[in-house]
């Protein structure tokens, strides 16, 4: 069960290029909450890009920084957190998120993630691969058991960011978060269409 506290953060998890940042910003706007991108917190702390951290410190160095950053953002209130694709893939990190807030999974097929990411995406785990789709599939299969521990998950394929936000708000309400927010916003949404 997620924490009863309505102000607890919402963590968006999912594979690279599943839309966590785009959707997270929109979700935060709809809730009138803050938005934070975990990769950006890591980059600011390190004073270098994710790609440079991987190059200088290896994946292990990046993961240490990511866990530290996650611990800090988990304390925030009324915040939507877009995590990196690998952030929930340790028991330590996943348990921390599940205990601190609501965890919502954006599901995307590996082929679509690679298509969206394109070449030179700045994601070291995709950019170097000889066969990006094959390695994305393998990585996603290994990560799925972690992603499946989310409080709720939504399909992203064939849905617009706004439709995904609607689904996330619905899922959040079902798991006890942000009660009352959706009905206000639904009216606005209809008015904007
Ligand atoms: C990673 C995903 C990236 C970034 C880093 C590692 C991963 O974030 O954290 O390149 O292990 O899947 P996005 O999911 O935002 O691309």
């Amino acid at each position: 069960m997620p924490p009863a506290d309505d102000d607890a953060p919402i963590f968006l998890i999912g594979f690279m290029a599943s839309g966590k940042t785009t959707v997270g910003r929109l979700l935060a706007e709809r809730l009138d909450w803050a938005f934070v991108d975990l990769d950006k917190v890591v980059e600011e702390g390190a004073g270098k890009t994710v790609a440079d951290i991987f190059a200088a410190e290896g994946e292990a160095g990046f993961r240490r920084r990511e866990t530290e950053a996650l611990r800090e953002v988990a304390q925030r209130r009324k915040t939507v957190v877009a995590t990196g694709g690998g952030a929930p893939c340790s028991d330590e990190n996943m348990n921390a998120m599940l205990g601190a807030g609501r965890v919502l999974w954006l599901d995307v097929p590996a082929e679509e993630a690679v298509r969206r990411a394109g070449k030179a995406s700045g994601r070291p785990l995709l950019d170097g691969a000889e066969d990006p789709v094959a390695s994305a599939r393998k990585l996603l299969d290994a990560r799925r058991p972690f992603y499946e521990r989310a409080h709720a998950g939504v399909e992203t394929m064939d849905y617009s960011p706004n439709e995904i936000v609607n689904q996330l708000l619905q899922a959040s309400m079902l798991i006890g978060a942000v009660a009352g927010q959706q009905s206000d916003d639904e009216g606005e949404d209809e008015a904007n269409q």
Side-chain angles (χ1 to χ4, degrees):
M1 282 294 286
D5 170 6
D6 270 358
D7 293 350
I10 292 178
F11 299 95
L12 297 186
I13 66 165
F15 202 62
M16 291 174 270
S18 56
K20 293 160 294 188
T21 302
T22 306
V23 167
R25 279 187 202 287
L26 274 176
L27 177 62
E29 251 172 55
R30 290 274 292 272
L31 293 169
D32 202 16
W33 281 19
F35 169 78
V36 68
D37 186 326
L38 191 64
D39 279 345
K40 291 280 172 279
V41 178
V42 171
E43 288 182 334
E44 278 157 22
K48 48 192 171 193
T49 64
V50 168
D52 287 343
I53 300 169
F54 266 74
E57 304 169 22
E59 182 172 353
F62 173 76
R63 296 296 170 207
R64 269 194 299 277
R65 290 181 179 277
E66 187 177 52
T67 296
E68 207 175 288
L70 186 60
R71 227 179 270 144
E72 187 272 305
V73 302
Q75 309 297 319
R76 301 189 192 183
R77 318 314 293 161
K78 294 195 171 188
T79 300
V80 176
V81 184
T83 63
C89 302
S90 75
D91 285 332
E92 180 184 358
N93 288 358
M94 193 57 178
N95 291 341
M97 286 191 272
L98 289 167
R102 284 99 190 160
V103 182
L104 304 176
W105 171 31
L106 302 189
D107 196 7
V108 66
E111 299 71 19
E112 174 66 6
V114 170
R115 194 191 64 74
R116 287 185 197 170
K119 288 199 171 75
S121 69
R123 295 174 171 98
L125 296 179
L126 284 185
D127 288 347
E130 220 169 83
D131 182 344
V133 171
S135 49
R137 266 198 207 123
K138 201 166 157 209
L139 196 54
L140 182 54
D141 283 349
R143 289 178 169 183
R144 196 171 290 279
F146 289 100
Y147 294 155
E148 285 175 348
R149 292 183 61 201
H151 292 122
V154 301
E155 294 292 333
T156 63
M157 191 76 181
D158 302 326
Y159 292 103
S160 71
N162 266 315
E163 287 170 328
I164 297 167
V165 168
N166 289 339
Q167 291 183 52
L168 291 175
L169 283 165
Q170 230 149 30
S172 295
M173 292 229 299
L174 288 176
I175 61 171
V178 296
Q181 293 283 353
Q182 195 196 11
S183 45
D184 296 340
D185 290 337
E186 254 178 5
E188 263 172 45
D189 207 42
E190 276 159 22
N192 289 339
Q193 277 170 9

